[in-house]
Amino acid sequence: MARKTRPADDTPAFPTREAILRFIAENPAKGTKRDIARAFDVTGEGRVVLKRLLKELEGDGLLDRRFKRFSEPGALPSVLACDIVARDKDGDIYAEPCEWEADRGPRPRFVVVAVRRRRGEHVPTAGLGDRVLARIVDLPDGYDRLAKAGIRIIKLLEAKPAGILGILKRNEYGARVLPISKKQQDEMIVELDDLNGAEDGDLVSVDVIRSSRMGLSRARVRETVGNLRSEKAVSMIAIHANDIPYIFPDNVIAEAEKAKAATLEGREDWRALPLVTIDPPDAKDHDDAVRAEPDASADNPDGFIVTVAIADVAAYVRPGTPLDQEALKRGNSVYFPDRVIPMLPEKISNDLCSLKELQDRPALAVRMIFDAEGRKRSHSFHRIMMRSAAKLSYQEAQAAIDGHPNDKTAPIVVSILKPLWNAYDVLARARDERGPLDLDIPERKVLLKPDGTVDRIVTPERLTAHRLIEEFMIQANVAAAETLEKRKTPLVYRVHDQPSLTKLESLREFLASLDMKLAKQGNLQPDIFNRILERVADTPQAHLVNEVVLRSQSQAEYSPSNIGHFGLNLRKYAHFTSPIRRYADLIVHRALVTALGLGGDGLPDGIEDKLEQIATDISAAERRAMAAERETIDRLIAQWLSDRVGATFKGRIGGVTKAGLFIRLNETGADGFVPISTLGADYFAYDETRHSLIGSRTGETFQLGDAVEVRLVEAAPFAGALRFEILSEGGKGKPLGKGAMMRAAKARKDRERKDHMNKVRRGR
């Protein structure tokens, strides 16, 4: 047992700082306060001392805390599941963690370390596509130093769980497979006997049956997934690559088709209240409706009553049914430019639960009363029957308020729309006082032609109508969390942790390079970042600082334990407003039904023991959906730009790594890569603090956020990959020292040699 100290008074004994740090480093799976107390036999009042000591270690940046578990800053577990993703020219194979949070930066890559086999001993071997359980070890001499660390395989978890996905291109001798992953860009040969019925243009899953250090690997078709000649083929690639369920089982469809429209029994009749839906013009389901009116109460002058009604999905999707199990499996709807993969069948999502204009629909509504400063005075939940008075798009509603109503909006401008905008003006005062994180990161939207190809890419205008609905939904979500917490009812929170101390220190060092300071203070608030963003607004550094601040933030997720929502600066927050497309919201609806006695279709018994796993699953499903949506857009744009190889474009540096620069084009938002070996005659080294590549002799600097001009050199539509050549000169900087110059030169030569060998293997 590690050494303990005893304070001078009678306070119970507790471990030293060094002992705690050593224990957590050696036992990464046992990092909770309870684990530490048990390991050092800390009981009674000693737990108070231990809690204070852990808080000090966290404040000093020596420990990270995520929910209730402490760990070394940026530490990886000693044992983890990995996927074998690549093989180099020397035959070494590389692996990456199966699970990795995007906010932790690039996914680390490990090299598999060879183990000497003793007589009679079984040592697991793995190949491309295998999933393994592995132990992290130090990287021995002679291995690629670009790897994060070495791993030793403990056992195979799944042998080639899904094969390698690629596009089959037939020829007279057999075929070649063009992988769809940016990580696996080498083509593979498939002989005639190994085609398994696949045709030209098919999306196939293949197994590598023979790898080669020189030349292309040989593969066998495991199954045909789809054909790219069909419409919506690009999104189908992402669906299969990310294992997104997209076909409803027969029993789920049957259950949905049998569902009957809800009746007025057990509900308040709100059909006369003129609630309206405001959605994108192409929305097929409408799960929220809003209403605002001045509060007539004498004790609330200039206050407002805001009502938000949400589709009552819990009335149709009962716990434990096939419909419910499939919804949990999907976790959320997935939105592609050419299709939607819904969480619920169309009969439920687009019909019975959709708040259609002038049709009776069941809903769960919250009635909120705000004072003249936008502070919520009270709220109440109601299970109702409603009838939407109008279906509006954001653009229609905004145009009407701006003095350009159409035939639908003209009759309701005064009675419905103006009270909504007046209420929003009041709520916006409280929002500005609260100071949520205000990043300026424009979104791109890909518009398609009827044949599924790209028509154009736009950045939609951000209207007041968007902000209005967003703020009303936030307030409804807060009300749901407050009610359930007050009633001590289990729920899934939407949580967003504050940035880790490690990321804050990196941001602090970066800002110092721009002569800006990030104060060290205990009570971190989003407004600290907002003041930084305001300072650089309308300056050449604005885009750069917005990007770096965004990367310093944690990723929001779901959890049954509440740590608040840092980005929104809210202590209690739960998703309530989109149960048609998010399973988390359905859980909150059921919890409200149970807590408020609104019916018999609330939470099932024993749900408390399952919420942590459910939260983990739906958080993973959300990340899966985001990845699939992003990959599809990348492939569509790469396909669109494939006939413009050689053209020049304006863009910005959107990412800097040891291997090169990621470029984001201004016109389309497309992302591509510039290998470091193509930057020029100088040797470039990576400066992590400044997010830069710096020339070792000249000091020429390429930094995150820099405006650049590039030439498109190569487009790989199926992988969604673009390769650029940079035409702009870098900024002026200070040359590196002799040691950094030598390291940069060696790294460049290693990459050039690797690039040459890859070209030889591909037959180019």
Side-chain angles (χ1 to χ4, degrees), residues 97-351:
C98 301
E99 296 291 334
W100 187 256
E101 298 173 1
D103 65 337
R104 295 181 66 182
R107 192 180 293 257
R109 179 165 287 200
F110 312 113
V111 63
V112 177
V113 176
V115 179
R116 185 182 296 275
R117 187 188 306 234
R118 298 190 184 95
R119 180 174 295 179
E121 180 185 12
H122 171 68
V123 177
T125 58
L128 287 177
D130 282 346
R131 178 162 293 182
V132 300
L133 184 67
R135 184 181 304 278
I136 294 180
V137 297
D138 292 334
L139 198 62
D141 292 337
Y143 280 93
D144 186 352
R145 309 309 297 184
L146 294 177
K148 173 77 174 179
I151 59 170
R152 286 199 172 121
I153 296 172
I154 298 172
K155 65 176 181 179
L156 290 176
L157 295 179
E158 302 172 29
K160 300 179 178 60
I164 297 173
L165 287 178
I167 309 301
L168 193 81
K169 292 297 181 182
R170 287 287 303 262
N171 56 48
E172 58 182 309
Y173 307 106
R176 287 195 176 192
V177 173
L178 285 60
I180 63 171
S181 170
K182 294 179 183 178
K183 301 175 185 175
Q184 173 69 29
Q185 294 189 31
D186 286 350
E187 297 177 6
M188 292 167 282
I189 296 172
V190 180
E191 296 184 355
L192 289 171
D193 293 341
D194 295 322
L195 286 173
N196 196 18
E199 299 291 341
D200 185 62
D202 281 349
L203 173 63
V204 295
S205 170
V206 302
D207 295 325
V208 177
I209 56 178
R210 189 181 67 217
S211 296
S212 173
R213 294 186 183 182
M214 303 296 290
L216 301 179
S217 299
R218 181 182 160 193
R220 176 188 296 119
V221 174
R222 176 188 291 186
E223 63 175 331
T224 299
V225 176
N227 191 285
L228 290 195
R229 290 188 294 271
S230 64
E231 194 177 340
K232 303 179 180 179
V234 176
S235 58
M236 185 60 71
I237 293 175
I239 289 168
H240 286 286
N242 292 278
D243 294 325
I244 294 174
Y246 70 103
I247 298 175
F248 285 107
D250 291 342
N251 61 339
V252 173
I253 294 293
E255 183 184 347
E257 292 300 324
K258 290 178 182 177
K260 304 295 183 185
T263 66
L264 192 57
E265 183 179 355
R267 301 178 182 276
E268 299 176 45
D269 190 351
W270 284 24
R271 289 177 290 182
L273 188 70
L275 291 149
V276 297
T277 62
I278 305 178
D279 293 293
D282 55 352
K284 292 183 172 60
D285 54 66
H286 309 277
D287 51 10
D288 58 82
V290 294
R291 164 75 176 166
E293 56 188 313
D295 187 2
S297 177
D299 66 348
N300 189 27
D302 299 321
F304 275 87
I305 300 173
V306 173
T307 301
V308 175
I310 305 297
D312 191 356
V313 177
Y316 298 102
V317 183
R318 305 299 177 91
T321 62
L323 197 53
D324 178 54
Q325 292 171 356
E326 182 69 15
L328 174 56
K329 179 181 176 183
R330 295 177 178 231
N332 46 248
S333 298
V334 187
Y335 294 85
F336 298 109
D338 58 354
R339 70 167 84 192
V340 176
I341 305 300
M343 185 180 78
L344 298 167
E346 188 173 347
K347 176 69 178 296
I348 303 294
S349 60
N350 291 357
D351 185 9

Side-chain angles (χ1 to χ4, degrees), residues 313-552:
V313 177
Y316 298 102
V317 183
R318 305 299 177 91
T321 62
L323 197 53
D324 178 54
Q325 292 171 356
E326 182 69 15
L328 174 56
K329 179 181 176 183
R330 295 177 178 231
N332 46 248
S333 298
V334 187
Y335 294 85
F336 298 109
D338 58 354
R339 70 167 84 192
V340 176
I341 305 300
M343 185 180 78
L344 298 167
E346 188 173 347
K347 176 69 178 296
I348 303 294
S349 60
N350 291 357
D351 185 9
L352 295 176
C353 284
S354 185
L355 305 181
K356 294 185 175 182
E357 188 176 38
L358 304 179
Q359 294 189 29
D360 292 358
R361 287 292 183 268
L364 199 57
V366 57
R367 185 175 184 269
M368 300 172 286
I369 300 177
F370 297 90
D371 65 18
E373 297 303 314
R375 294 184 291 264
K376 181 158 62 69
R377 302 184 66 183
S378 65
H379 69 263
S380 58
F381 282 89
H382 309 261
R383 208 167 194 185
I384 67 169
M385 185 67 73
M386 61 160 285
R387 182 180 294 163
S388 171
K391 180 186 79 169
L392 306 176
S393 70
Y394 289 113
Q395 291 75 13
E396 273 184 308
Q398 188 69 57
I401 287 294
D402 292 343
H404 307 288
N406 59 20
D407 292 342
K408 176 179 280 189
T409 56
I412 61 173
V413 170
V414 175
S415 60
I416 294 178
L417 295 181
K418 284 191 175 179
L420 284 171
W421 258 254
N422 292 338
Y424 170 68
D425 288 341
V426 168
L427 266 62
R429 294 173 201 164
R431 180 205 61 207
D432 294 342
E433 181 70 22
R434 188 177 80 239
L437 189 61
D438 188 20
L439 287 166
D440 181 20
I441 306 293
E443 295 185 5
R444 56 178 172 166
K445 185 172 183 179
V446 177
L447 303 179
L448 303 182
K449 300 175 183 176
D451 64 358
T453 58
V454 176
D455 180 21
R456 64 189 189 279
I457 299 166
V458 299
T459 301
E461 183 182 3
R462 179 83 166 148
L463 304 172
T464 303
H466 292 105
R467 297 187 178 93
L468 181 153
I469 295 298
E470 183 179 274
E471 188 62 27
F472 283 14
M473 297 304 117
I474 288 173
Q475 293 301 328
N477 289 336
V478 170
E482 290 176 346
T483 294
L484 294 174
E485 198 169 278
K486 183 178 180 180
R487 300 276 179 149
K488 295 181 170 54
T489 305
L491 76 151
V492 171
Y493 293 92
R494 180 64 168 179
V495 298
H496 182 219
D497 206 354
Q498 65 182 30
S500 68
L501 293 171
T502 303
K503 287 187 175 182
L504 282 176
E505 190 57 37
S506 297
L507 177 62
R508 189 174 287 112
E509 291 175 0
F510 163 72
L511 292 174
S513 71
L514 299 178
D515 294 324
M516 299 175 65
K517 290 184 178 180
L518 178 64
K520 290 186 177 182
Q521 53 188 62
N523 186 24
L524 188 66
Q525 298 290 332
D527 195 49
I528 293 172
F529 299 106
N530 290 339
R531 290 198 294 270
I532 292 170
L533 298 174
E534 288 171 4
R535 182 175 168 184
V536 299
D538 302 320
T539 71
Q541 290 81 28
H543 191 278
L544 167 63
V545 176
N546 268 273
E547 284 281 356
V548 177
V549 170
L550 174 64
R551 294 173 190 212
S552 73

